[in-house]
Amino acid sequence: VDMYLDAHSTIGSNEHLRREGDDPTLGFHLPCGKMTLLGLFLAIIALLGILIGMSWAKGKPAMHSISLSLPKEAFKVVIFDVKKNPIMVLEDKDRDGLFEIREILKQGKPYRLEEDRNHDGRPDKVISYDEKGEITRMILDRNSDGRPDKWQFYSNGRVVSAEEDSNFDGHIDYKISFDRKQRPTLILEDTDHDGCLETRQEFGGKDWDRKVSIKSCDANITKGITYYREKRLIKRLWDKDEDGTMDTEEYFRRDGTRCVLCRLKKIGKKTLNICNPLFLYDQTGKKAIKAAKDIDSDGLYDIEYDFKTDTWSKIPKDQRNLWEPRGLCKGPR
């Protein structure tokens, strides 16, 4: 096993590592033949001892197969195998005299990295790599309780998904997926920390930028869906009686005020996407001023109601299409 200390400059000699004029290789220097094989065997056993038997306490290995004494200014230790390939790196980045980083390498490439910033003997960060040396997963313990609470998963060096335990109760309450441009495509969240991811956010629809669905975990149904475009609320559906079908549909103006409320028509246990009757609201979004109804189920509104005069009237045929909910809510741009 070859041991080299790299401190961006040559570190002075150490009696436990090498003395002036000695070969820097750690191990036994024995005659050739059988004794040479014995020395190689012992070197391999020492290497395995380092990889398998090493534990951590206060940021430094607590047990070693070999005993080393390092100068105080040493902040990086690189361990090599018999072929002079690096297999482990110990590093003290904050120069406090304790090695908080341990990195395992395979064939000279990163395989696993552990970081213990508070020196409690438990890693706060663990990074795993694939055979190419590219990161595949990062696990974090952000409150230093010894339990992981955030996971990030990678592909080709990019984050593709993440999971989080935001309140450190041991249960995942946040999941997110990303596209190739690192933009979120799906977010699942448990906002009340009851173990159910009841809030679902989807991104990048044809007519909306963000869609938020609220799930009733007890009934296992979706009780509400809200649509946004350019961060503006544009439409909302609700299943108020939680029977598994949507009851109302609302449309909103550009200023965020409610414009139209629809009572969705139901046939048996199914809800048809028919807004009948329709209620039109004033500019405050709080008071209904008109209503329209399709009495012959042809998809066009036939009569309208004026709340101010408390009267019904017939809608002229050439004006029926003007009652389309989205058209009513466009308003000034």
Side-chain angles (χ1 to χ4, degrees):
V1 181
D2 291 338
M3 177 74 72
Y4 297 97
L5 300 180
D6 178 13
H8 300 295
S9 62
T10 302
I11 294 179
S13 60
N14 183 282
E15 62 180 356
H16 293 274
L17 292 178
R18 57 178 174 178
R19 292 185 293 273
E20 192 70 29
D22 287 346
D23 189 301
T25 302
L26 292 178
F28 292 86
H29 298 276
L30 302 174
C32 298
K34 294 182 179 179
M35 298 304 289
T36 302
L37 293 176
L38 176 60
L40 180 59
F41 175 76
L42 291 175
I44 293 174
I45 293 298
L47 174 60
L48 293 175
I50 292 173
L51 294 178
I52 299 174
M54 184 177 289
S55 63
W56 289 73
K58 295 183 179 179
K60 287 187 176 181
M63 293 187 301
H64 306 266
S65 295
I66 55 177
S67 178
L68 300 176
S69 178
L70 303 175
K72 291 183 179 180
E73 66 270 21
F75 62 85
K76 189 173 184 180
V77 176
V78 182
I79 302 174
F80 296 80
D81 62 14
V82 293
K83 295 183 179 180
K84 297 187 178 182
N85 295 315
I87 57 174
M88 184 183 296
V89 178
L90 307 178
E91 192 167 0
D92 174 17
K93 281 197 170 182
D94 54 11
R95 309 296 194 272
D96 63 353
L98 300 173
F99 293 108
E100 66 272 356
I101 294 178
R102 176 174 68 169
E103 185 177 23
I104 307 297
L105 301 98
K106 283 190 174 182
Q107 298 180 347
K109 295 179 180 178
Y111 174 72
R112 179 182 174 91
L113 183 144
E114 296 179 359
E115 184 173 330
D116 179 13
R117 286 288 182 183
N118 62 353
H119 307 299
D120 64 352
R122 299 177 300 194
D124 310 308
K125 179 192 294 184
V126 177
I127 301 177
S128 300
Y129 302 87
D130 60 17
E131 64 277 1
K132 297 180 181 179
E134 293 186 350
I135 184 172
T136 59
R137 182 177 64 181
M138 179 187 297
I139 302 177
L140 303 175
D141 174 13
R142 295 168 298 169
N143 65 340
S144 300
D145 65 351
R147 299 189 305 183
D149 47 59
K150 186 172 183 178
W151 299 258
Q152 292 185 179
F153 304 93
Y154 296 77
S155 177
N156 297 321
R158 296 190 298 265
V159 179
V160 294
S161 65
E163 298 178 358
E164 184 176 329
D165 172 13
S166 63
N167 65 339
F168 312 114
D169 65 351
H171 300 285
I172 294 174
D173 48 38
Y174 189 82
K175 294 183 178 181
I176 183 169
S177 300
F178 300 91
D179 63 14
R180 290 180 175 272
K181 295 183 178 180
Q182 304 289 276
R183 296 174 301 190
T185 58
L186 176 66
I187 297 176
L188 303 177
E189 190 171 3
D190 176 10
T191 56
D192 53 9
H193 306 292
D194 64 349
C196 173
L197 299 166
E198 76 280 349
T199 303
R200 178 187 181 93
Q201 297 187 61
E202 301 172 62
F203 300 85
K206 182 179 179 181
D207 299 319
W208 44 267
D209 299 330
R210 181 164 65 104
K211 172 184 174 183
V212 182
S213 304
I214 306 298
K215 179 181 178 181
S216 172
C217 296
D218 294 333
N220 195 28
I221 60 169
T222 300
K223 62 180 181 180
I225 305 175
T226 308
Y227 297 86
Y228 297 86
R229 184 169 56 232
E230 298 176 356
K231 298 182 180 181
R232 294 184 297 104
L233 174 63
I234 57 174
K235 187 171 73 169
R236 179 167 58 199
L237 293 95
W238 284 106
D239 176 12
K240 292 186 176 181
D241 55 10
E242 296 191 12
D243 64 349
T245 59
M246 297 297 170
D247 306 300
T248 61
E249 185 174 26
E250 297 173 283
Y251 293 84
F252 296 82
R253 299 183 180 91
R254 291 183 64 85
D255 61 2
T257 59
R258 179 170 57 180
C259 171
V260 168
L261 183 145
C262 299
R263 301 293 185 189
L264 298 179
K265 188 173 182 179
K266 290 188 177 183
I267 299 178
K269 294 183 178 181
K270 294 183 178 181
T271 299
L272 302 180
N273 191 24
I274 297 176
C275 182
N276 193 23
L278 173 152
F279 297 89
L280 178 64
Y281 283 75
D282 64 7
Q283 290 297 322
T284 68
K286 298 178 180 180
K287 184 179 180 180
I289 55 177
K290 285 189 176 183
K293 200 169 185 180
D294 176 10
I295 57 177
D296 56 7
S297 300
D298 64 351
L300 297 174
Y301 295 100
D302 304 296
I303 57 175
E304 66 176 58
Y305 179 78
D306 190 322
F307 283 86
K308 186 175 182 179
T309 60
D310 193 22
T311 57
W312 286 96
S313 61
K314 190 174 182 180
I315 300 174
K317 290 184 178 181
D318 60 349
Q319 296 182 15
R320 290 183 181 182
N321 59 342
L322 300 179
W323 282 88
E324 198 276 330
R326 291 185 182 85
L328 290 171
C329 299
K330 285 183 178 180
R333 292 186 175 274

